[in-house]
Amino acid sequence: MNEFREMRRKRQMLAEEESIAILQKATSGTMALLGDNDYPYAVPISYVYQEGRLYFHSAMEGHKVDAIRKCSKASFCVIDQDDVKPEKYTTFFRSVIAFGRVHIVENDSERFEIARLLGNRYNPNHDEDLQKEIESGLSHMLVIRFDIEHLTGKEAIELMKSRHNRNST
Ligand SMILES: Cc1cc2nc3c(=O)[nH]c(=O)nc-3n(C[C@H](O)[C@H](O)[C@H](O)COP(=O)(O)OP(=O)(O)OC[C@H]3O[C@@H](n4cnc5c(N)ncnc54)[C@H](O)[C@@H]3O)c2cc1C
């Protein structure tokens, strides 16, 4: 059996490139880890996506880091759209969930490249400022890599239908 379960409502499933586009567009998501006393720990965090991986920066210690050191299995959720339709008692949603393994990056040149990737993602085209920021901050920053093993995107049936209608006209 596949380690990851299939979506029940397959019509609402996004194509892989659409899920990736959401990961490239959003600026934060929620990482779910096995936290203290095995309670799931879902923690919001900024990230950058590149080639099947997500990268994060963090303080050197804390609940999140302890959880990662204890168990590398994680999931990450990004909400692309949350458009509440009160009169319909529903939400026109679009979201992505990734499952994978998280690792603390130890290699210095890899840490530097990831810090640059993150910095550029949030403040592009400021190479000199970023260089200074990394030089002063990298030694007390933890860099985390999330290798995506399974990625799905899903949207509300209404969004799926309106997209289908647009494409067929
Ligand atoms: C949009 C967004 C982007 C963020 N980006 C980053 C980032 O890039 N890097 C980063 O390290 N952090 C980021 N944070 C902060 C992040 O959510 C955590 O607060 C932080 O990483 C510390 O986590 P910790 O487990 O080490 O905290 P700890 O202080 O060790 O956690 C102890 C307890 O504090 C509570 N707690 C911790 N964080 C939160 C929280 N955010 N909200 C409510 N309760 C909390 C929980 O009960 C947790 O068990 C971001 C938060 C938001 C909302």
Side-chain angles (χ1 to χ4, degrees):
M1 196 184 102
N2 189 328
E3 194 174 0
F4 300 102
R5 66 172 67 198
E6 290 187 2
M7 194 179 293
R8 286 177 299 108
R9 296 180 172 164
K10 287 210 178 49
R11 279 201 307 159
Q12 291 172 244
M13 191 160 80
L14 302 180
E16 190 184 18
E17 59 270 24
E18 290 167 325
S19 297
I20 291 172
I22 290 170
L23 289 178
Q24 286 168 331
K25 186 175 87 176
T27 53
S28 68
T30 303
M31 178 151 49
L33 301 163
L34 189 62
D36 293 351
N37 304 310
D38 295 346
Y39 281 92
Y41 181 40
V43 60
I45 191 162
S46 310
Y47 71 98
V48 63
Y49 171 88
Q50 191 183 57
E51 293 173 0
R53 288 172 165 169
L54 301 165
Y55 298 104
F56 311 85
H57 80 281
S58 160
M60 304 292 277
E61 55 188 36
H63 191 170
K64 163 171 55 28
V65 176
D66 288 345
I68 291 170
R69 290 194 195 281
K70 187 173 66 171
C71 176
S72 66
K73 287 181 175 174
S75 75
F76 189 70
C77 176
V78 167
I79 296 174
D80 179 57
Q81 184 172 333
D82 172 9
D83 190 2
V84 176
K85 300 288 179 192
E87 70 289 356
K88 292 185 192 291
Y89 296 95
T90 193
T91 299
F92 288 7
F93 70 87
R94 188 179 299 107
S95 56
V96 166
I97 300 179
F99 289 89
R101 300 267 183 168
V102 274
H103 305 276
I104 291 164
V105 178
E106 308 285 358
N107 178 280
D108 276 341
S109 59
E110 203 183 340
R111 281 162 46 74
F112 184 85
E113 278 313 308
I114 294 167
R116 235 160 46 94
L117 203 61
L118 277 160
N120 269 321
R121 168 78 174 84
Y122 289 91
N123 190 23
N125 308 318
H126 287 80
D127 289 353
E128 242 174 72
D129 292 347
L130 180 57
Q131 181 77 20
K132 282 188 206 142
E133 183 73 18
I134 294 174
E135 277 166 14
S136 69
L138 193 60
S139 62
H140 42 271
M141 180 200 289
L142 206 75
V143 173
I144 299 162
R145 191 184 79 225
F146 184 124
D147 297 329
I148 298 176
E149 295 172 356
H150 182 66
L151 179 68
T152 54
K154 182 178 175 182
E155 67 184 357
I157 190 86
E158 295 84 356
L159 293 180
M160 191 274 290
K161 281 180 180 163
S162 67
R163 194 209 309 230
H164 184 77
N165 290 342
R166 270 201 311 279
N167 290 345
S168 57
T169 53

